[in-house]
Amino acid sequence: MAKKEKEIDVRFSKFGTVSFTSTTKVNDFMDRLEQGKVSGNRCKDCGKVYFPPRADCHNCLGNNMEWFDVTGKGRLVTFSKLEYAPVGFENDIPYSIALLDFGDYKVFGRLAGDIPENEIKVGMEMKVVRNELPNGQLNYVFQKA
Ligand SMILES: [Zn+2]
C-alpha cells in the first residue's frame, strides 16, 4: 500500500518580505489578500474580533470563526521609523511600522513608503490596502484616508 503524502498548505509563504510562518490555520487570509482584501476574523459565538485572524477564540475557547474585511478608516495610534531591520528586511529600510485603531480591533503594519514624513501625524485617518512587493510577495500597507 502506497503511503499517502500529506498535503501541506503553504499559502502563507507568500506573505510579506520574509514569511516566517508558511503554514497556519488561517491560510484563507492569503486567498483573501490575493483578491485585494485585508481580513480579520470574528468569533461567531462570543463576538470577539481579531486582527491578525486567529483559528481559535481565546475568549470563549471556541473555533466558530467568520471572516470580515478591514475597511473604512482607522486612526493612527503610533508609528516608528526603522533605520535598522531584522535579518531578511535589510533591503526594505528605511520603513515605518505603525498601529491603526479601528475601534473593535487594531491593525499592526507598515506605512506606505510614499507618504511625506511631515504629513504623518498621530491621530490621522488611514486605510489599509493590499500591496504587492517587487518579488511578487504580498503584504498590506497603510495609506492616508
Ligand atoms: Zn469566542
Side-chain angles (χ1 to χ4, degrees), residues 15-71:
F15 183 75
T17 304
V18 179
S19 179
F20 294 104
T21 308
S22 61
T23 305
T24 86
K25 287 164 93 179
V26 289
N27 268 330
D28 286 350
F29 178 88
M30 288 308 298
D31 292 339
R32 300 175 70 87
L33 192 60
E34 299 246 21
Q35 296 161 20
K37 298 183 252 185
V38 178
S39 309
N41 65 5
R42 177 185 301 112
C43 176
K44 286 159 88 173
D45 294 328
C46 74
K48 180 94 174 148
V49 175
Y50 295 98
F51 191 96
R54 298 178 59 110
D56 308 298
C57 178
H58 72 65
N59 192 44
C60 71
L61 306 182
N63 62 359
N64 191 16
M65 311 298 276
E66 65 181 353
W67 292 98
F68 70 89
D69 300 333
V70 175
T71 57

Side-chain angles (χ1 to χ4, degrees), residues 2-143:
K3 189 178 172 192
K4 191 177 178 209
E5 210 168 297
K6 190 180 175 201
E7 238 176 78
I8 300 171
D9 181 348
V10 294
R11 280 176 282 167
F12 229 85
S13 61
K14 194 171 179 186
F15 183 75
T17 304
V18 179
S19 179
F20 294 104
T21 308
S22 61
T23 305
T24 86
K25 287 164 93 179
V26 289
N27 268 330
D28 286 350
F29 178 88
M30 288 308 298
D31 292 339
R32 300 175 70 87
L33 192 60
E34 299 246 21
Q35 296 161 20
K37 298 183 252 185
V38 178
S39 309
N41 65 5
R42 177 185 301 112
C43 176
K44 286 159 88 173
D45 294 328
C46 74
K48 180 94 174 148
V49 175
Y50 295 98
F51 191 96
R54 298 178 59 110
D56 308 298
C57 178
H58 72 65
N59 192 44
C60 71
L61 306 182
N63 62 359
N64 191 16
M65 311 298 276
E66 65 181 353
W67 292 98
F68 70 89
D69 300 333
V70 175
T71 57
K73 299 169 185 172
R75 278 199 188 280
L76 181 61
V77 176
T78 188
F79 66 100
S80 181
K81 184 178 176 186
L82 303 188
E83 301 282 355
Y84 300 92
V87 172
F89 295 84
E90 301 90 339
N91 295 329
D92 291 359
I93 52 175
Y95 62 90
S96 295
I97 53 174
L99 186 69
L100 298 190
D101 186 353
F102 282 84
D104 287 349
Y105 58 94
K106 293 182 176 72
V107 178
F108 176 78
R110 286 190 191 192
L111 297 180
D114 58 356
I115 307 171
E117 273 185 54
N118 62 355
E119 293 181 16
I120 304 169
K121 306 270 190 260
V122 166
M124 72 188 287
E125 292 186 324
M126 304 198 85
K127 60 185 178 181
V128 181
V129 297
R130 172 194 186 265
N131 180 51
E132 186 164 346
L133 298 166
N135 63 2
Q137 294 283 104
L138 299 175
N139 68 4
Y140 58 85
V141 295
F142 303 152
Q143 290 179 342

